[in-house]
Amino acid sequence: MNQFSQLITETITLLQPLSPELHVLPAEIAYISRAEQQGELSLKNQFLNVAGVGELRSATLSSAKIEIANFLFFPETDTQTPVYAAEFVCLSEKPIVAVIDAKCLLTGSEEQTVSGLLQQARKQINYLSPETEMSAWYLESRSGNDIFVRSPSMEQLTELMQLHLQIWQALMELFSKPQPCNPQQARLHTQKLQHYKNQHRLNYPGVPLLNRSFGEVWTENYLKNYLFG
């Protein structure tokens, strides 16, 4: 089991105390592969729903030269639970980027806790990339306490993967006791969550690769109705 596969396994395992249910995806979404010039390229998706809290969506894209792991957690909009996003990318065994972020889309009791959690995590590393290396859409979407590292060393990538697991485990306490929203807050949360998903869908950096490998129709359906649906 390689480092990326292990990361997926450990992330899902940390969610188990909350008794998640596997979201049964269509076969062509759960796993798809194509023969490439340099070997098979495959995409595996695992979505797990925690009733009354939200859904973890994990996606792993891999080939002889590509390893990408994405984690997205989208909350139920009648709770104040934060969104969570993490991405780790290697090309030709060279780390390209690592991103970890959690963000409360509503101002409320959870916001200070989530911000403090990320701020403590940021203190553990001294190689964060400057804002000049971040795209405009990312700057708008991020929490401001996010962890963004461009071109980390392999040692740093391993450290950041462990930091992701540390943050993800700490979030389990919030997920286990979600704070409810009133109806007005829930409507606002729904709007903000859809905006957040749209930002990520429209700017997803893997689109050219997915289009080329699996076709534009499949890619649009996958991003719109599944990964960011």
Side-chain angles (χ1 to χ4, degrees):
M1 182 179 294
N2 68 23
Q3 192 172 20
F4 280 73
S5 297
Q6 183 67 30
L7 187 67
I8 294 282
T9 299
E10 292 184 14
T11 301
I12 291 174
T13 298
L14 287 173
L15 195 64
Q16 294 308 307
L18 300 183
S19 302
E21 293 186 0
L22 184 66
H23 182 152
V24 180
L25 298 168
E28 70 276 10
I29 298 295
Y31 181 84
I32 187 170
S33 66
R34 289 291 183 271
E36 301 281 331
Q37 188 174 13
Q38 298 171 338
E40 183 184 57
L41 175 76
S42 65
L43 174 63
K44 182 179 181 180
N45 291 282
Q46 296 182 76
F47 292 9
L48 293 103
N49 182 67
V50 178
V53 183
E55 186 170 70
L56 170 66
R57 301 175 183 178
S58 70
T60 311
L61 190 67
S62 61
S63 72
K65 292 193 173 184
I66 298 171
E67 288 286 353
I68 301 173
N70 283 113
F71 301 97
L72 297 162
F73 184 87
F74 295 132
E76 295 291 344
T77 54
D78 59 356
T79 74
Q80 297 183 36
T81 309
V83 295
Y84 180 77
E87 181 178 46
F88 303 92
V89 180
C90 277
L91 300 179
S92 298
E93 300 185 354
K94 178 182 178 181
I96 301 300
V97 70
V99 183
I100 306 169
D101 197 15
K103 180 180 181 180
C104 288
L105 301 179
L106 293 179
T107 299
S109 58
E110 307 284 18
E111 190 173 26
Q112 186 174 355
T113 300
V114 173
S115 296
L117 176 62
L118 286 175
Q119 288 166 8
Q120 285 298 117
R122 286 167 63 96
K123 292 177 181 179
Q124 298 181 43
I125 57 176
N126 59 3
Y127 44 82
L128 291 168
S129 295
E131 289 190 357
T132 53
E133 296 187 18
M134 303 173 189
S135 61
W137 80 267
Y138 178 82
L139 287 169
E140 180 186 349
S141 177
R142 69 179 186 148
S143 69
N145 295 305
D146 49 305
I147 294 166
F148 183 102
V149 181
R150 183 84 69 182
S151 301
S153 67
M154 188 58 75
E155 181 180 355
Q156 289 170 343
L157 182 69
T158 299
E159 183 177 17
L160 291 165
M161 287 180 169
Q162 291 305 309
L163 200 58
H164 149 71
L165 293 172
Q166 174 186 316
I167 294 168
W168 180 241
Q169 183 171 31
L171 287 172
M172 292 304 108
E173 184 173 347
L174 293 181
F175 294 170
S176 67
K177 301 175 182 178
Q179 297 299 308
C181 294
N182 62 44
Q184 183 178 1
Q185 288 174 318
R187 287 192 293 271
L188 178 61
H189 201 190
T190 299
Q191 294 171 3
K192 286 181 174 291
L193 180 59
Q194 190 58 56
H195 177 68
Y196 181 90
K197 288 179 177 180
N198 287 341
Q199 281 182 310
H200 284 72
R201 175 176 60 85
L202 294 172
N203 296 281
Y204 186 61
V207 168
L209 176 60
L210 294 179
N211 281 340
R212 185 173 70 250
S213 299
F214 308 125
E216 294 183 8
V217 173
W218 184 93
T219 298
E220 182 179 3
N221 177 51
Y222 168 62
L223 296 179
K224 184 177 181 179
N225 297 316
Y226 293 98
L227 191 61
F228 300 112

